[in-house]
Amino acid sequence: MKTLVLKITGDAKNDEAAIAKAAEIIRNGGTVAFPTETVYGLGANALRGESVQKIYAAKGRPSWNPLIVHVSSRDMLNSLVTDYPQGFDKLAAKFMPGPLTFLLPKSDKIPDEVSAGRNDVAVRMPKHEIARKLIEAAGVPIAAPSANRSGRTSPTSAEHVLEDLDGRIDAVLDGGTCDVGVESTVINLMAQPPMILRPGGVSKEAIEETLGMPVTLFEKSAEGTDVKALPSPGMMLRHYAPNAKLYNIEGDKYALFAAADKAAKEGNKVGVLLPSDWQLPENIKAEVYDYGTWGDWDTMARRVFAGLRGLDRKKVDVIFAPMPPKEGLGLAIRDRLLRAAK
Ligand code: TXA
Ligand code: MG
């Protein structure tokens, strides 16, 4: 199939037409990649199983890995779930819309293809204006995982989407680059205490402060565990992988430089996700991607996926990435880098 590129230009008439076209494709059962504040999603009508199946086919996604449903209003959300657990109102008041996904008991409107046969559905209201307008125009909730081939790095631009999915999806709505850069935080409020199933765009600290209580973090259990029995099956996957071999470096800049130097001397083409304020010694041969100032985890989150893809495009053999601490969005960056390096 030919993938239609619908460009958002800032011209009101053009943009309205682009969104209307994308909405029509969704209503007619097709697939459209669209920008959100986190990463690009690959959307289809969440109320129709046969439309949702096209997402799995385009991505090569295993059928046991459920999808997030995106809504544009509380009314739309109300029709998809049967109950709201304790804590929902507090978090929704602050992060809905926003990069926070809630696991909620699903109503019978949600097809099995969306929830992968589970009793709960993951739901999020994106903050991104184009995403919101698309859902409103489509008039239906939109199921959307990240718009990458399964196992690959999540896309933060329409170019990234086309790198992976050109010819496999009906259209991409090109709304520029994503602001947050890592996916939403997924939270299960029905667990006692509440459990973050995937760290993401809303920090653990912000959630705890809003709820006024500590929450736990789902840590991936050993390899070989039955994915269907896990609270969040997607967390089991090797994911976000660049073509190059990724090495995560704990410790200071000297540890990073030493590792890069050694690999270069062994004959590898080396890539480095390099904080802007770390000066790479001149004798070390490496391609560098400007990662933002060390300590500015928000900027590093925005750049991490683009950095991995950018270094891949330079055909490096190995990539070295400094690991941020488990603080703010550093937690989400660490999670993505750990799974990309497996
Ligand atoms: O920011 C985001 O969340 C992006 C944008 C497009 O909204 N979406 C996204 O979707 O990252 P995806 O499919 O790449 O990741 C969804 C995660 C997976 O780890 C999946 O296993 C988990 O959420 N998940 C979805 N539905 C679930 C459910 N019913 N129960 C448990 N985990 C679920
Ligand atoms: Mg994904």
Side-chain angles (χ1 to χ4, degrees):
M1 75 178 70
K2 175 139 178 53
T3 300
L4 190 63
V5 178
L6 300 163
K7 230 180 158 54
I8 297 296
T9 62
D11 172 69
K13 234 174 148 180
N14 167 84
D15 296 355
E16 212 175 288
I19 291 168
K21 178 69 192 163
E24 181 194 319
I25 295 171
I26 297 275
R27 268 197 312 275
N28 290 340
T31 49
V32 178
F34 62 98
T36 80
E37 69 275 26
T38 56
V39 301
Y40 273 70
L42 175 58
N45 182 348
L47 302 180
R48 280 178 45 190
E50 67 274 21
S51 305
V52 170
Q53 273 170 13
K54 294 181 188 168
I55 295 175
Y56 287 91
K59 283 185 57 115
R61 184 181 179 99
S63 60
W64 44 256
N65 196 7
L67 309 179
I68 296 176
V69 176
H70 298 69
V71 299
S72 57
S73 70
R74 276 302 282 272
D75 277 350
M76 197 181 259
L77 174 59
N78 287 340
S79 69
L80 304 179
V81 305
T82 57
D83 197 14
Y84 293 103
Q86 207 182 355
F88 175 85
D89 289 337
K90 277 186 186 164
L91 286 177
K94 201 144 179 206
F95 303 113
M96 191 170 230
L100 184 61
T101 296
F102 296 90
L103 202 63
L104 298 169
K106 72 170 189 136
S107 77
D108 52 17
K109 282 189 124 184
I110 298 287
D112 274 344
E113 285 85 348
V114 168
S115 61
R118 290 166 176 256
N119 296 326
D120 302 318
V121 62
V123 189
R124 151 166 129 82
M125 187 186 293
K127 197 169 197 160
H128 198 290
E129 202 192 327
I130 294 159
R132 296 283 293 282
K133 284 186 172 162
L134 173 65
I135 303 165
E136 263 166 41
V140 290
I142 295 181
S146 49
N148 49 280
R149 289 291 283 263
S150 194
R152 298 258 301 143
T153 308
S154 296
T156 53
S157 73
E159 293 77 54
H160 297 164
V161 173
L162 291 169
E163 250 171 44
D164 277 21
L165 297 174
D166 195 10
R168 305 179 66 87
I169 59 178
D170 291 307
V172 56
L173 199 49
D174 180 355
T177 55
C178 303
D179 214 38
V180 178
V182 292
E183 302 88 333
S184 62
T185 301
V186 181
I187 189 157
N188 179 5
L189 290 169
M190 297 168 288
Q192 299 292 338
M195 183 186 267
I196 291 178
L197 298 180
R198 175 180 71 182
V202 175
S203 72
K204 180 167 181 274
E205 293 92 327
I207 289 174
E208 290 180 330
E209 197 191 306
T210 307
L211 286 175
M213 66 184 289
V215 301
T216 59
L217 182 68
F218 170 65
E219 306 265 12
K220 195 162 60 67
S221 29
E223 292 296 328
T225 309
D226 179 8
V227 284
K228 296 178 193 77
L230 285 170
S232 189
M235 292 298 280
M236 270 311 278
L237 293 175
R238 172 169 196 263
H239 210 329
Y240 313 111
N243 295 321
K245 176 105 183 85
L246 172 67
Y247 293 95
N248 295 317
I249 308 297
E250 303 273 6
D252 60 12
K253 59 178 157 188
Y254 300 105
L256 181 75
F257 297 161
D261 191 32
K262 181 161 180 282
K265 284 184 174 141
E266 285 167 1
N268 295 291
K269 185 163 182 192
V270 173
V272 180
L273 286 182
L274 188 70
S276 327
D277 51 337
W278 292 11
Q279 180 78 37
L280 191 72
E282 264 169 38
N283 61 319
I284 300 176
K285 255 191 82 178
E287 297 284 348
V288 300
Y289 191 93
D290 179 0
Y291 203 8
T293 309
W294 186 250
D296 178 1
W297 316 129
D298 291 3
T299 299
M300 286 169 52
R302 191 175 308 128
R303 295 186 186 175
V304 62
F305 288 142
L308 295 175
R309 281 187 187 258
L311 290 171
D312 257 350
R313 239 176 274 131
K314 301 218 160 129
K315 301 267 184 303
V316 300
D317 304 309
V318 290
I319 297 175
F320 292 95
M323 283 296 256
K326 298 178 182 172
E327 163 192 307
L329 291 206
L331 191 64
I333 299 171
R334 287 181 68 88
D335 166 73
R336 306 308 186 267
L337 288 175
L338 283 170
R339 286 193 282 147
K342 266 173 64 185

